[in-house]
Amino acid sequence: MSSVFHRIPKRHLPVAVKGEGMYIFDKDGKRYIDGYAGGACVSCLGHSQETVIEAVRDQIGKMAFFHSAMFTSEPLEELASILTTNAPEGLTRVFFTNSGSEAVETAIMMARQYFVEIGQPQRKKVIGRRNSYHGGGLTGLAVGYQVARRTPFEEVLPNVFHVSPCYEYRGRLEGETLEQYGLRVANELEQAILGLGPNTIMAFIAETVTGTTNGTTPAVPGYFKRVREICDKYGVLLVLDEVFCGLGRTGTLHACEKEGVAPDFLTFAKGIAAGYQPIGATMVNQKIYDDIVSGSGTFKGGYTYSGHATACAAAIAVQKVLRAPGFLDQVKTTGSVLSQRLNDRFGQHPHIGDIRGRGMMMTLELVDDRSTKAPFAPSYGVSSKIYQSAQARGLITHALSGTVDGHIGDHVVICPPLIATGDHIDTIVGLLGEAIDAALLDRRANAA
């Protein structure tokens, strides 16, 4: 009997014992192809990459850890240098954390401290977006809006205002162009700032491409440029969360490259060390850094394991692979294959309403009726059925509910390791098709 408090105690979990490239093996010898990069879009280089393992071994042999407030270390300095190379304009400093949740919390804390330092302490409000996820801590749950997770904690969450997500599949009006829709939704931010009081807002936070809560939804053209204009107009800091979509996942090093904007804070985690060690980071604009240093001189946040030497060594090895010549070009190519295969297989499927994403992160949004976009009733449990059906077939993927408003809607996220080949994509899409059809067998039979 297990003594572990598992996140979903009633779910039977196989025991993973080995990972090799694109595959995970359980203790019974069953092989699973990894369609979800380590189960949380983390393992971007797959499993058992020897160069990363060797880097961890080597660092542990020299010095596993020392508190970064007392000593800096060679891996810490080297990793910061790597991450600030080719970073969005102005992001010249990196503060290290242990996770994406901590990276987001750090960005919010720095934003607040910055305004205190420059004599604007009245700026204390944050605006986020609905259908978003920014981490499992209280700060992340507050600025995000994943209903199922935040509901039990509503009474103790910081007060945050939320505007609409850029969710074109369900939000764009008939006759509205993509650009018109993007501007309309972005302008909600300005309305919120004016309604709350421009001199009281410290930050707006958004995922550049959403993660699992809304199913890898990219913004429409022009949306983030308008958001950047609004933030600049009212002196609001822009935080872009790329914990899920950053560091190569979308085919570019940073997802915001495609949007043509640079944020004031950029958070990431999953793709830094690819799961070989836990680490996250918050990239910070030089002006914010300078004002804190010239003011109190000390950032008031931080964590014991910030800048952990062994985690940094793992991340350096991973980043060298991600940034090697041709690697991201291959990611773009394979991402195009993934999109094409999903459209070939599910483009006319009666229960797939939308196929969306960017690069190596894609989503299938499921519907009961394609013509009306009506979602399945929550009582049907379609996402749970698909998850179980996929696992039984040896496919690791992620099916979730609450897509539309946190209560209704279902989607499946596909984000395999970036090392996937066309053959791997074919296997993943084939098994996913079998899993979805099996889970919806009675629905399709009734329709026939």
Side-chain angles (χ1 to χ4, degrees):
M1 181 177 178
S2 176
S3 297
V4 177
F5 193 149
H6 288 287
R7 291 176 66 171
I8 307 177
K10 293 181 180 180
R11 177 180 288 174
H12 171 72
L13 298 177
V15 179
V17 296
K18 184 174 68 171
E20 289 183 358
M22 286 289 298
Y23 299 94
I24 289 288
F25 298 81
D26 69 20
K27 72 172 185 178
D28 298 320
K30 183 175 179 178
R31 188 180 77 165
Y32 304 79
I33 189 166
D34 191 352
Y36 196 46
C41 202
V42 172
S43 301
C44 56
L45 298 187
H47 307 279
S48 302
Q49 283 277 340
E50 189 54 41
T51 55
V52 185
I53 294 169
E54 190 55 40
V56 172
R57 288 191 186 121
D58 182 60
Q59 185 59 44
I60 289 176
K62 291 188 292 188
M63 179 190 73
F65 163 80
F66 206 91
H67 200 297
S68 59
M70 298 180 180
F71 284 89
T72 189
S73 69
E74 291 176 344
L76 174 61
E77 297 292 339
E78 182 179 355
L79 179 58
S81 177
I82 289 172
L83 293 176
T84 53
T85 300
N86 299 321
E89 184 180 359
L91 299 182
T92 59
R93 299 287 172 167
V94 188
F95 190 93
F96 289 102
T97 66
N98 308 298
S99 67
S101 297
E102 290 180 0
V104 167
E105 181 170 84
T106 294
I108 299 302
M109 292 178 69
M110 282 187 176
R112 172 58 183 165
Q113 185 174 337
Y114 165 74
F115 283 117
V116 171
E117 300 274 8
I118 66 171
Q120 298 183 36
Q122 76 280 3
R123 288 188 182 263
K124 59 183 71 174
K125 298 174 185 175
V126 178
I127 300 174
R129 301 193 301 182
R130 294 186 291 277
N131 298 56
S132 62
Y133 183 71
H134 295 294
L138 292 180
T139 299
L141 290 174
V143 299
Y145 209 83
Q146 191 180 65
V147 175
R149 287 198 180 190
R150 65 180 275 135
T151 297
F153 310 105
E154 291 279 1
E155 297 294 327
V156 296
L157 292 179
N159 187 25
V160 176
F161 190 85
H162 293 86
V163 296
S164 297
C166 192
Y167 183 12
E168 182 265 335
Y169 175 63
R170 293 191 177 274
R172 183 158 64 108
L173 302 175
E174 187 175 351
E176 196 173 36
T177 66
L178 288 175
E179 290 78 6
Q180 289 170 337
Y181 167 68
L183 290 176
R184 175 169 63 82
V185 179
N187 285 335
E188 276 193 33
L189 173 60
E190 184 169 36
Q191 295 162 15
I193 290 171
L194 292 172
L196 293 167
N199 67 344
T200 69
I201 311 300
M202 66 178 186
F204 173 65
I205 182 169
E207 298 159 285
T208 313
V209 179
T210 66
T212 56
T213 297
N214 190 232
T216 68
T217 306
V220 299
Y223 170 82
F224 274 113
K225 283 191 175 181
R226 178 59 182 146
V227 164
R228 180 73 269 185
E229 290 174 358
I230 293 167
C231 288
D232 289 342
K233 181 178 180 180
Y234 297 102
V236 174
L237 298 177
L238 176 59
V239 182
L240 289 184
D241 181 351
E242 296 197 358
V243 168
F244 195 96
C245 65
L247 297 175
R249 175 55 59 181
T250 63
T252 55
L253 194 58
H254 305 294
C256 59
E257 291 176 42
K258 188 173 177 63
E259 311 303 335
V261 300
D264 300 295
F265 296 96
L266 186 66
T267 66
F268 37 70
K270 297 176 187 291
I272 298 183
Y276 288 89
Q277 289 281 290
I279 185 172
T282 305
M283 297 190 74
V284 187
N285 182 278
Q286 182 68 36
K287 183 181 186 307
I288 295 168
Y289 172 84
D290 288 342
D291 283 329
I292 291 176
V293 171
S294 64
S296 66
T298 304
F299 172 50
K300 308 304 181 183
Y303 308 91
T304 298
Y305 294 118
S306 294
H308 193 290
T310 305
C312 289
I316 290 167
V318 170
Q319 291 307 304
K320 286 180 177 178
V321 175
L322 290 180
R323 295 160 190 261
F327 186 87
L328 291 180
D329 291 334
Q330 185 58 46
V331 172
K332 290 179 183 177
T333 299
T334 310
S336 296
V337 172
L338 175 59
S339 177
Q340 186 61 55
R341 295 291 190 274
L342 289 172
N343 278 279
D344 289 346
R345 177 63 177 83
F346 299 105
Q348 300 303 315
H349 194 287
H351 293 299
I352 303 299
D354 192 32
I355 302 172
R356 59 176 177 265
R358 185 187 296 172
M360 292 284 277
M361 50 185 293
M362 297 293 295
T363 288
L364 305 176
E365 182 167 339
L366 293 115
V367 292
D368 202 2
D369 187 317
R370 273 176 59 125
S371 63
T372 65
K373 302 183 182 180
F376 285 99
S379 59
Y380 189 62
V382 65
S383 57
S384 178
K385 290 181 179 180
I386 292 171
Y387 173 85
Q388 293 174 40
S389 181
Q391 187 180 71
R393 286 167 171 76
L395 170 64
I396 300 169
T397 189
H398 199 22
L400 300 98
S401 59
T403 317
V404 178
D405 61 2
H407 302 283
I408 61 173
D410 299 274
H411 64 275
V412 180
V413 176
I414 308 98
C415 54
L418 303 183
I419 63 169
T421 65
D423 287 343
H424 293 133
I425 298 302
D426 287 342
T427 299
I428 289 169
V429 173
L431 290 173
L432 182 59
E434 293 177 12
I436 289 175
D437 287 343
L440 301 177
L441 187 60
D442 58 338
R443 274 296 199 269
R444 302 197 71 179
N446 291 336

